[in-house]
Amino acid sequence: DAGVTQSPTHLIKTRGQQVTLRCSPKSGHDTVSWYQQALGQGPQFIFQYYEEEERQRGNFPDRFSGHQFPNYSSELNVNALLLGDSALYLCASSFLSGGNTGELFFGEGSRLTVL
Amino acid sequence: GEDVEQSLFLSVREGDSSVINCTYTDSSSTYLYWYKQEPGAGLQLLTYIFSNMDMKQDQRLTVLLNKKDKHLSLRIADTQTGDSAIYFCAEDWYGGSQGNLIFGKGTKLSVKP
């Protein structure tokens, strides 16, 4: 049973470029949440997708957008990259349709470096 | 406000017990979590506790919840060198969002042989 998988694991971009990160949730899960973890900090919630719609959003600008596909996988897009967007981007999955069991699993993350 | 507080460092000897403490803010939270993060890796879910519980035990891990003081602790019995990592406490801020968590800054646990 595959856990939460993310791709790519590492990538380097330059300021002003755009990036797309991908996440496949754990088998049986239907909800994907995205987090940004800056160096030395705890993760910060970006947004959550359920039933292909953005369900909740944290305090991030509109440059951060996402999408969820019918197979529950998700993408995080960041436009007009800034140096401060350099971070580890984490995806977490859960099963919302089954009620809140508390089970929330994270992937290994995608490390983005903006030069 | 939204703030989860943890001490930043803890050092113990192999075989001792480790206790990592956390204070949280929202008394209506449904779940409180402990995650482990090794260098360069993602977050590993260690355990979680529902807010109407006082204690949860899972092998070497014991979670204690004091709702009155909004204090959560994680005890690791017989700490091993492989337990060296950063430990994050998190609360489910919207009480059942299943994904919108507020994290502390993490406690770096160092285990000396």
Side-chain angles (χ1 to χ4, degrees):
Chain A
D1 176 21
V4 181
T5 58
Q6 294 188 241
S7 64
T9 54
H10 295 83
L11 69 168
I12 299 172
K13 293 284 188 178
T14 56
R15 278 178 296 176
Q17 284 190 313
Q18 179 262 346
V19 68
T20 297
L21 308 177
R22 296 175 179 82
C23 172
S24 291
K26 185 178 187 292
S27 178
H29 283 185
D30 59 7
T31 304
V32 172
S33 302
W34 286 93
Y35 286 78
Q36 180 194 66
Q37 186 180 21
L39 203 60
Q41 301 295 315
Q44 285 198 297
F45 176 76
I46 303 174
F47 42 52
Q48 183 184 69
Y49 276 84
Y50 171 65
E51 292 188 336
E52 301 180 48
E53 292 199 354
E54 185 182 290
R55 182 170 176 259
Q56 294 187 51
R57 188 178 184 95
N59 189 24
F60 278 80
D62 292 346
R63 298 187 297 110
F64 290 76
S65 63
H67 189 77
Q68 186 179 35
F69 298 94
N71 67 353
Y72 308 117
S73 67
S74 177
E75 288 181 350
L76 164 66
N77 300 292
V78 187
N79 294 323
L81 284 167
L82 304 173
L83 295 179
D85 295 331
S86 295
L88 180 67
Y89 288 86
L90 294 161
C91 165
S93 78
S94 55
F95 180 47
L96 197 58
S97 298
N100 189 359
T101 64
E103 187 180 83
L104 185 68
F105 293 107
F106 281 80
E108 291 295 308
S110 294
R111 184 163 297 282
L112 171 65
T113 302
V114 182
L115 301 177
Chain B
E2 307 169 14
D3 214 1
V4 174
E5 302 272 355
Q6 301 178 240
S7 52
L8 295 182
F9 301 98
L10 176 65
S11 180
V12 301
R13 292 222 171 266
E14 192 173 21
D16 288 349
S17 290
S18 307
V19 179
I20 303 172
N21 295 300
C22 167
T23 56
Y24 61 98
T25 57
D26 182 26
S27 60
S28 66
S29 297
T30 55
Y31 285 100
L32 295 138
Y33 296 81
W34 285 104
Y35 286 91
K36 175 183 179 183
Q37 188 174 41
E38 298 185 58
L43 299 179
Q44 176 191 350
L45 177 61
L46 290 177
T47 186
Y48 55 94
I49 186 168
F50 193 64
S51 55
N52 68 355
M53 297 170 65
D54 298 322
M55 186 183 91
K56 182 179 180 181
Q57 189 153 2
D58 185 0
Q59 299 183 332
R60 291 191 299 125
L61 305 178
T62 303
V63 177
L64 295 178
L65 177 59
N66 180 329
K67 288 182 284 294
K68 174 176 170 290
D69 295 335
K70 296 179 184 173
H71 183 266
L72 182 74
S73 68
L74 174 70
R75 178 177 179 269
I76 306 172
D78 187 25
T79 312
Q80 302 298 307
T81 54
D83 294 324
S84 293
I86 298 176
Y87 290 79
F88 289 97
C89 165
E91 64 171 322
D92 189 334
W93 176 245
Y94 284 103
S97 67
Q98 264 191 288
N100 186 347
L101 303 187
I102 305 295
F103 283 82
K105 286 184 164 43
T107 299
K108 184 174 183 179
L109 174 64
S110 297
V111 183
K112 300 185 189 320

